[in-house]
Amino acid sequence: MEKLRAAADDGQREYRVEELAEAAGITARTLRFYRERKLLPPPRREGRIAWYGDAHLARLRVIAELLERGHTLGGIAELIGAGESGRDVAELIGLEAAIVAPWSDETPVRLDWEELKATFGDQLTEENTAESIAQGYITVEDDGITHVSRRLMDATMALVAEGVPLSAVLEASRRTREHVDAIAEIFTTVVAGQLLGALSANAPLPPGEAARLTERILRVRPLARTVADAQFALAMDRRVHAEYEELLRQRRLEPRAGGEGEDACGP
């Protein structure tokens, strides 16, 4: 293979078709196909020889990453058309990654049927299992189950050990999920409307805007979790205090009602 040469003007390496394809991990035929689809900028020509540079290699790596993420070649062409350089496309990829990155850091846990029976006993019914599946928390295999969250599974086992029926835990989980879905919808509406409004416009993003949006999203993500945690803790304070006050009120009324009954029945 011919040795890679350096471009006379900027010192960057240049590649022939076969050399560039090998560096990018694709075939020369695929490279030519990308070129025909306008996914690559034109090479520098020197007579009949086409020379490709590091920018072409960077573009091929961007294309490979987008294909791995499930984008079609047509969609990739639109993304590339939204920016004039491989850096712009890379920024769009970074923005997409920041938007769709998981918010949770939960780790799944596997339990075999013997462990489940030892923990839940006769509460390990078909109804409770079906409810867990319906809520999307477990998948069932022949030798046991996989729960999406070790923390939730540990909390469930602890509550059952304290005497709370598994069916009651699952019902509370179902109702809680309805509310947290509503909370998540509020946050996504705020983020989409206030931070990502530029994405809904038909015009291309200004240079550097994708990178700026990515930084803002990364800053906002932990703030959303902080607000949700604080609001839940404050709500628990209000609810527990209200319930306790009601309990005290009922206890104060009970002796009075008994005393009045005794006076009415006395001599």
Side-chain angles (χ1 to χ4, degrees):
M1 178 178 292
E2 182 174 330
K3 186 178 180 180
L4 300 180
R5 58 176 269 174
D9 54 349
D10 56 11
Q12 292 186 0
R13 286 186 170 182
E14 289 193 322
Y15 311 78
R16 292 197 182 204
V17 170
E18 293 77 9
E19 296 167 344
L20 180 63
E22 181 179 358
I26 60 176
T27 65
R29 181 177 180 181
T30 299
L31 191 152
R32 292 189 179 96
F33 176 71
Y34 291 164
R35 178 73 183 87
E36 293 170 0
R37 293 290 300 268
K38 310 294 186 184
L39 296 175
L40 290 175
R44 185 182 71 82
R45 292 202 171 269
E46 189 176 277
R48 299 183 61 182
I49 301 178
W51 291 102
Y52 296 85
D54 289 335
H56 294 92
L57 180 58
R59 176 67 61 83
L60 288 172
R61 287 170 176 165
V62 166
I63 293 171
E65 183 172 352
L66 288 171
L67 288 172
E68 188 175 342
R69 290 175 179 272
H71 290 273
T72 64
L73 287 178
I76 294 173
E78 292 181 2
L79 277 176
I80 291 176
E84 296 180 353
S85 68
R87 181 181 60 83
D88 296 326
V89 179
E91 288 180 358
L92 288 172
I93 295 174
L95 176 58
E96 178 193 47
I99 292 173
V100 303
W103 283 67
S104 68
D105 51 6
E106 303 300 325
T107 57
V109 58
R110 279 188 51 80
L111 294 171
D112 60 40
W113 292 116
E114 292 301 321
E115 293 174 298
L116 292 168
K117 290 176 182 177
T119 300
F120 299 114
D122 58 5
Q123 297 187 67
L124 190 64
T125 62
E126 292 185 4
E127 292 78 7
N128 287 336
T129 302
E131 179 63 24
S132 298
I133 296 173
Q135 292 188 29
Y137 291 121
I138 70 168
T139 55
V140 177
E141 294 94 21
D142 292 338
D143 57 347
I145 63 103
T146 297
H147 198 289
V148 297
S149 169
R150 176 180 292 276
R151 290 197 303 169
L152 287 177
M153 190 64 191
D154 288 347
T156 298
M157 296 168 75
L159 286 170
V160 171
E162 292 294 335
V164 181
L166 179 57
S167 59
V169 175
L170 292 172
E171 172 63 14
S173 172
R174 183 187 62 78
R175 296 176 60 191
T176 300
R177 180 165 179 165
E178 294 174 356
H179 291 288
V180 296
D181 281 347
I183 294 172
E185 183 178 355
I186 293 172
F187 277 114
T188 53
T189 300
V190 170
V191 171
Q194 303 299 322
L195 300 182
L196 302 179
L199 293 180
S200 61
N202 293 326
L205 291 177
E209 182 63 18
R212 285 191 289 272
L213 287 175
T214 300
E215 293 174 358
R216 294 178 72 183
I217 289 174
L218 294 178
R219 290 195 300 268
V220 166
R221 285 169 64 97
L223 295 178
R225 295 183 65 167
T226 298
V227 170
D229 289 344
Q231 291 279 27
F232 175 73
L234 291 171
M236 285 296 296
D237 285 343
R238 293 191 298 268
R239 187 67 181 178
V240 169
H241 290 163
E243 290 290 328
Y244 186 62
E245 289 295 329
E246 177 63 18
L247 176 64
L248 293 179
R249 189 182 71 84
Q250 293 293 336
R251 289 174 65 88
R252 288 193 297 267
L253 289 176
E254 286 175 2
R256 184 183 307 170
E260 292 174 355
E262 292 174 0
D263 291 341
C265 298

